[in-house]
Amino acid sequence: MESSLVRRAFLDFFRSRGHTVRPSTTIVPRGDATLMFNSAGMVPFKPYFLGLKTDLARAASCQKCFRTTDIDRVGHTIRHLTFFEMLGNFSFGDYFKEDAIAWAWQFLTKEMGLDPKRLYPSVFEDDEEALALWRGLKVPNAPVRLDEDSNFWNMGPTGPCGPCSEIYFDRGIPCSLGKADCAVGCDCDRFIEVWNLVFTQFDRLADGSLKPLPRKNIDTGMGLERLAFVAQGKGSPFDTDLFAPIVQEASRILKVDPDADAQTAMALRIIADHARAIVFLMAENIIPSNVERGYVLRRLIRRAARYGQLLGHKGPFLHGLLKPVVDVFSAAYQEILEAADANVRETLRMEEERFLATLEAGERELEVVLAKGGSVLPGSQAFKLYDTFGFPLELTREICAGRGVAVDEAGYKEAARSATEVARASWKGSGVKIKLEDASLPAAPTVFTGYDNLEERALIVAAKACDGHTIVALDRTPFYPESGGQVGDQGSILSADGKTLLAKVLDTQKHGAVILHVVKPRGSQELAAGRPVLAKVDELRRSYIRPHHTATHLLNAALRRILGSHVRQAGSYVGPDKLRFDFTHPKGLEAQEFKAVEDMVSCEAAKSQPVETRVDSFDKAKELGAVTLLGEDYGERPRMVLVAPRGFADPADRCSLELCGGTHVANTSEIGGFKILKESSVAAGIRRIEGVAGPALADHLEALEKEEERVLSELSQRVKSRLEEIRALRGTAEDLALERLTAAELRSRERELADFLSALKADKLSSAAHMGKKIVQAGPFRLLAQRLEGADPRSLRSLADEFKAEVGSGAVFLASAREGKLSFVLALTQDAVAKGPDAASLAKALAQALGGSAGGRADFAQGGLPDQGWDAIVSRLAGLLGNC
């Protein structure tokens, strides 16, 4: 039976028994901050198990799940996977053990056609009820009693819990690994757990006693991959149609025989498993990074890439496995087609390429350390490998384990902590951030009135000194707390009559449902609980923030229209000074894309469209196609922000519709215009745009005008000085002056003017360069690359020296295009030269590969190339530099 039919048969079976079949939710849980990923089928139903929702009595699903707890065992066993599908049927105070056990047995023996003689049920050792029910079914194999470690589920030290009943499949004596006493519960591969039935019937109290729950629940889980390999008579999940096409394609790309030996088979299993997980995660717009879910994805990519290298493959290959994964799953999960996008493929290829460049350098460094001997790798050294080469701890651990060397993981954590402290100490922020957990403020929610009012009469609920500041909570407030990328409001807290300033509000933050005002008290006025006050937001500052937030929504919409639907928000900052928007995209914007995005935002703003808000159900927002942030909890009734000519009267004809709690303009005409200040790279596959709108744009343009006036004035003074000098010469001794102004003198004057104009041009180029430069990792070095239109070689040299300080250890590569050719300069920092790279050799190798010419010295080179794609040129140079 094909896996797709197994999946369908399970859902149809329980649908016919009164269960509501729910489609799988995303792997990233919506509205559950306690989890990074959905790790079990019951996770989306937590509100029903907790009694927070009551509109379902029984349900069934096939849920996409992801776990990394046993990642080191994936491929080594037939039991462990990272991404998997969990089949489950659930009862919320409806049916209980009798139906759950009977239906499980019926489905496996009748629908799946499994031999009853090969099925072995187990029960918790004290669960007489479940034991009797199994005996009542007259199953061929007597139920096995197992202890609490195996057959009792706990949510935690206290709370809901209950016994389990599991169903095992006997794969036969040859799978017992020669164990004569092999039985149900053994950790060999003979008896494989297929289905786990959890009977949540108790509440464990603090004293350890079990109190019966008034509402008993059923939570079952059965891995589709495990059921499929049993039903299909295969040796492991990796032999089923859920894996085989991926393994086959990996074998073809890597040019290896999957049956060659055990090590090759294991490597291909790991690659296939990780490829499935990678594609599903990237289909949900998770991008490789060094934090949270992005770091988990990066780990998977790097681990799979390394196994490809161990099989003898030297280049990136994982992007070639996108298609077989999509082919296997697209019928069941249409959303995975997002992963077939060319930009996802390119992001994956670039991530793998970067890792392979650093892997070789990291492995060389590790080999040097291991060659010195010792049974333990110091934690500081393991962290250095991560910090310098991007070498994951898991990879260090695996390589060391193969040499019989342990890793001092406690020392690694200490080194990481120290590095974090150093970074934090160098942060030049406002210093206003507080430890909210130390505030000890009341839990009563604050009423926010700041959408419509900038002043509000309120009562102080609590005031407390905390972390060097005073924290004030009010019963109601117009101050917007930092949230959704928007900075917190500033302003004043006045006496009730508004005549006396009690405190300046420096920042506003949120702690659960409580809004906290970080204030600096003025004078001896007391901020005591129960005191009536007047809370007043800084109106001018808010007037700068609102246009930036609405412009951010317009920017998001413009990027999706111009670059493609793969664009997703990856972070933002909305302040009075500027807006910053991070988004998923594999490469920098081309000049025409840059201009198109800027023009579209300005054009939409100029249409004078109303900006309307509405609070509605999440299902309604989803129906309207509102843009959401992955993993964000918007609650059951989120706030929608719509930019459309006719508002909610015709939401389909819209510019933008997002779920957002921020403050916005009432009409796009208030935005006034939009200017991109800078476009840059944040990480692999993530770009950043910084811009200004509204009053901040007017301030920016005014500053530019003043700078232009300053430069012109300086130019005028210098030209005037030259003219006055010439007039003086002509007036006193015209003939002598003419003799002195020989050709050499005129050339000297021309050089002086050229120097000045070059300096002026370099000044402008320097400003422009900061708007588009990108820094990539090239092995142990950093490469700063920037393309500047209209720059001459002298300006490029000057800028290269300026940018060396930003690189640290590495190289600066600058180029300018004219008539299909690139003129470039390559400058190396002194410490990079000392480590081996040679600028002249690198430039010549690059030019030779691309049909150009170059020359220079160890620390500086220049040359020319055909203009054949900037990203490809930078990537090739990074590869050359990384291999030095």
Side-chain angles (χ1 to χ4, degrees):
M1 183 181 287
E2 292 180 359
S3 298
S4 59
L5 298 179
V6 174
R7 187 190 294 115
R8 187 187 309 162
F10 177 87
L11 297 176
D12 287 346
F13 179 86
F14 283 99
R15 182 184 285 112
S16 69
R17 285 154 180 78
H19 291 65
T20 298
V21 173
R22 286 286 180 90
S24 174
T25 63
T26 56
I27 297 175
V28 175
R30 182 175 71 83
D32 190 341
T34 65
L35 293 172
M36 189 176 288
F37 299 104
N38 270 321
S39 57
M42 59 78 64
V43 170
F45 298 102
K46 279 173 68 173
Y48 295 96
F49 284 115
L50 296 173
L52 303 176
K53 284 187 173 183
T54 57
D55 58 309
L56 275 183
R58 54 179 71 177
S61 69
C62 180
Q63 174 64 41
K64 295 178 291 185
C65 298
F66 180 79
R67 297 176 186 170
T68 58
T69 48
D70 294 307
I71 191 171
D72 293 335
R73 302 184 69 183
V74 170
H76 296 266
T77 77
I78 63 174
R79 300 168 183 264
H80 298 95
L81 305 171
T82 53
F83 169 81
F84 59 96
E85 298 175 77
M86 183 69 84
L87 302 168
N89 58 288
F90 311 96
S91 166
F92 316 111
D94 187 12
Y95 64 86
F96 199 48
K97 292 181 186 179
E98 183 177 2
D99 287 334
I101 289 173
W103 287 337
W105 185 256
Q106 185 179 347
F107 177 76
L108 291 177
T109 58
K110 303 299 183 184
E111 301 296 322
M112 291 294 99
L114 299 183
D115 183 355
K117 295 179 180 178
R118 299 180 69 177
L119 294 174
Y120 288 75
S122 73
V123 298
F124 174 53
E125 56 190 359
D126 294 334
D127 191 353
E128 299 298 333
E129 181 185 4
L131 183 65
L133 289 169
W134 278 115
R135 286 173 173 169
L137 290 175
K138 295 181 170 51
V139 294
N141 299 303
V144 178
R145 294 178 187 261
L146 295 177
D147 61 17
E148 186 169 348
D149 287 341
S150 300
N151 274 43
F152 198 93
W153 175 82
N154 294 282
M155 180 178 284
T158 60
C161 58
C164 306
S165 180
E166 297 174 326
I167 304 174
Y168 290 80
F169 181 80
D170 182 3
R171 299 177 64 232
I173 294 175
C175 297
S176 65
L177 304 178
K179 292 184 179 180
D181 58 346
C182 183
V184 170
C186 177
D187 58 2
C188 73
D189 289 336
R190 175 178 175 180
F191 294 98
I192 290 290
E193 175 203 328
V194 176
W195 207 337
N196 186 14
L197 316 177
V198 179
F199 311 128
T200 312
Q201 64 186 95
F202 299 116
D203 180 14
R204 189 183 293 276
L205 303 180
D207 62 3
S209 60
L210 299 177
K211 177 184 176 183
L213 287 171
R215 264 173 45 107
K216 296 177 174 61
N217 300 320
I218 290 292
D219 164 20
T220 83
M222 175 165 55
L224 174 63
E225 293 82 358
R226 198 170 288 189
L227 176 60
F229 98 75
V230 168
Q232 293 174 11
K234 302 293 185 180
S236 78
F238 302 100
D239 300 319
T240 68
D241 53 348
L242 292 168
F243 280 90
I246 307 165
V247 171
Q248 290 166 7
E249 182 62 11
S251 302
R252 187 191 67 78
I253 294 173
L254 300 174
K255 297 181 172 59
V256 295
D257 179 359
D259 300 319
D261 53 61
Q263 289 300 110
T264 299
M266 179 196 70
L268 288 172
R269 287 177 171 187
I270 292 171
I271 289 168
D273 170 88
H274 289 11
R276 291 177 6 133
I278 288 165
V279 174
F280 271 95
L281 293 178
M282 295 189 77
E284 294 191 12
N285 290 287
I286 298 173
I287 293 295
S289 71
N290 284 332
V291 294
E292 299 180 341
R293 299 180 181 100
Y295 178 63
V296 175
L297 174 59
R298 174 162 283 171
R299 281 177 60 197
L300 289 170
I301 293 172
R302 292 182 169 188
R303 198 163 185 267
R306 180 172 176 270
Y307 275 99
Q309 192 182 58
L310 291 175
L311 291 176
H313 194 77
K314 298 304 180 185
F317 69 93
L318 290 172
H319 58 283
L321 299 181
L322 283 173
K323 185 179 185 302
V325 176
V326 170
D327 288 346
V328 168
F329 290 103
S330 58
Y333 305 108
Q334 288 289 308
E335 63 272 19
I336 202 176
L337 292 172
E338 293 282 339
D341 186 275
N343 290 292
V344 173
R345 179 186 175 91
E346 181 66 8
T347 297
L348 180 55
R349 185 192 65 76
M350 289 169 59
E351 173 68 18
E352 189 179 2
E353 212 167 50
R354 286 188 182 94
F355 174 60
L356 291 174
T358 62
L359 179 63
E360 188 174 344
E363 285 186 326
R364 281 201 305 267
E365 180 77 11
L366 182 56
E367 285 294 335
V368 170
V369 178
L370 293 177
K372 296 176 181 178
S375 59
V376 178
L377 181 74
S380 58
Q381 189 65 48
F383 180 72
K384 180 184 176 184
L385 286 168
Y386 168 73
D387 198 35
T388 306
F389 302 101
F391 220 65
L393 176 62
E394 297 81 8
L395 192 50
T396 300
R397 190 193 299 126
E398 279 189 25
I399 294 174
C400 288
R403 304 287 190 85
V405 176
V407 178
D408 175 15
E409 298 195 25
Y412 176 93
K413 292 176 182 176
E414 177 59 27
R417 187 196 63 76
S418 298
T420 301
E421 290 300 323
V422 170
R424 185 179 292 125
S426 66
W427 179 69
K428 305 229 175 2
S430 67
V432 171
K433 299 298 180 185
I434 58 171
K435 296 178 181 177
L436 296 179
E437 63 270 23
D438 295 339
S440 303
L441 290 167
T446 308
V447 178
F448 176 66
T449 62
Y451 291 134
D452 304 311
N453 306 309
L454 295 180
E455 291 186 19
E456 185 68 53
R457 298 195 179 280
L459 285 176
I460 296 178
V461 176
K464 178 182 174 64
C466 175
D467 218 23
H469 295 85
T470 298
I471 312 301
V472 174
L474 307 174
D475 64 337
R476 54 200 299 111
T477 183
F479 284 82
Y480 182 84
E482 180 180 342
S483 179
Q486 182 175 327
V487 298
D489 276 332
Q490 296 178 358
S492 307
I493 294 179
L494 308 169
S495 58
D497 58 10
K499 295 180 180 179
T500 306
L501 176 64
L502 302 180
K504 294 292 291 183
V505 178
L506 306 177
D507 192 16
T508 311
Q509 298 182 32
K510 197 171 185 180
H511 186 39
V514 180
I515 295 176
L516 304 176
H517 308 77
V518 184
V519 309
K520 183 177 182 180
R522 291 297 175 94
S524 59
Q525 297 290 330
E526 187 178 0
L527 296 170
R531 178 169 184 168
V533 294
L534 178 66
K536 190 173 183 179
V537 173
D538 183 334
E539 184 174 356
L540 179 62
R541 186 172 181 273
R542 178 78 83 83
S543 72
Y544 273 66
I545 294 172
R546 282 196 305 262
H548 279 154
H549 206 149
T550 308
T552 301
H553 285 212
L554 299 184
L555 174 60
N556 192 3
L559 288 167
R560 289 173 66 84
R561 290 182 191 175
I562 292 167
L563 302 182
S565 60
H566 67 279
V567 169
R568 290 293 295 255
Q569 181 174 341
S572 69
Y573 163 85
V574 178
D577 54 332
K578 65 182 178 182
L579 66 86
R580 184 179 68 228
F581 188 75
D582 298 346
F583 59 98
T584 57
H585 191 59
K587 59 183 180 178
L589 272 62
E590 301 290 343
Q592 64 270 25
E593 293 172 332
F594 188 99
K595 186 175 187 305
V597 169
E598 189 175 73
D599 288 349
M600 182 174 287
V601 175
S602 295
C603 180
E604 292 293 345
K607 290 179 181 178
S608 299
Q609 302 173 82
V611 180
E612 296 185 3
T613 63
R614 175 181 293 178
V615 175
D616 210 326
S617 69
F618 187 84
D619 288 340
K620 181 64 175 178
K622 196 173 178 181
E623 177 189 326
L624 291 174
V627 174
T628 61
L629 270 175
L630 202 63
E632 189 78 9
D633 183 9
Y634 295 100
E636 290 302 309
R637 294 185 61 77
R639 178 174 181 257
M640 292 183 279
V641 177
L642 174 70
V643 180
R646 288 174 292 280
F648 278 101
D650 187 9
D653 181 24
R654 63 174 180 262
C655 168
S656 168
L657 177 61
E658 295 192 27
L659 300 189
C660 176
T663 62
H664 291 267
V665 299
N667 190 286
T668 58
S669 60
E670 298 175 46
I671 294 174
F674 174 67
K675 177 70 177 174
I676 297 178
L677 301 177
K678 181 180 180 182
E679 192 269 337
S680 60
S681 171
V682 177
I686 300 181
R687 307 297 300 179
R688 169 174 292 172
I689 282 179
E690 296 181 24
V692 285
L697 173 59
D699 291 350
H700 173 73
L701 295 176
E702 183 180 347
L704 286 180
E705 288 177 7
K706 288 181 179 178
E707 178 63 14
E708 184 178 346
E709 288 175 6
R710 183 192 67 77
V711 172
L712 289 175
S713 175
E714 183 178 331
L715 175 61
S716 175
Q717 289 298 321
R718 295 182 67 171
V719 172
K720 182 179 179 182
S721 174
R722 298 292 188 272
L723 290 174
E724 288 176 350
E725 183 181 339
I726 292 172
R727 286 197 195 100
L729 288 170
R730 292 177 65 86
T732 56
E734 183 171 353
D735 292 339
L736 179 62
L738 289 173
E739 279 185 349
R740 292 179 62 188
L741 289 174
T742 60
E745 178 69 14
L746 287 171
R747 283 196 298 273
S748 174
R749 303 287 175 133
E750 288 171 356
R751 281 196 299 272
E752 288 182 30
L753 182 58
D755 286 344
F756 171 71
L757 292 174
S758 179
L760 179 63
K761 189 173 187 180
D763 186 47
K764 291 182 178 179
L765 284 171
S766 181
S767 299
H770 285 283
M771 294 175 62
K773 65 174 182 272
K774 66 177 180 179
I775 298 177
V776 298
Q777 195 70 35
F781 304 106
R782 282 154 56 90
L783 172 64
L784 184 153
Q786 174 60 44
R787 177 176 172 140
L788 295 162
E789 304 305 331
D792 55 48
R794 181 179 297 182
S795 299
L796 292 178
R797 286 196 295 272
S798 175
L799 283 173
D801 289 336
E802 177 185 335
F803 284 163
K804 276 185 186 179
E806 296 186 35
V807 175
S809 177
V812 175
F813 180 61
L814 304 178
S816 177
R818 177 175 292 181
E819 298 178 355
K821 295 185 180 297
L822 281 178
S823 296
F824 72 85
V825 298
L826 177 64
L828 268 61
T829 59
Q830 287 302 318
D831 66 321
V833 173
K835 294 175 182 177
D838 179 279
S841 299
L842 286 169
K844 288 176 182 177
L846 180 67
Q848 185 177 1
L850 300 176
S853 61
R857 55 183 189 268
D859 65 336
F860 181 84
Q862 58 186 3
L865 299 168
D867 189 1
Q868 296 177 344
W870 177 245
D871 286 337
I873 292 172
V874 172
S875 179
R876 182 176 288 272
L877 178 58
L880 291 170
L881 179 60
N883 289 326
C884 287

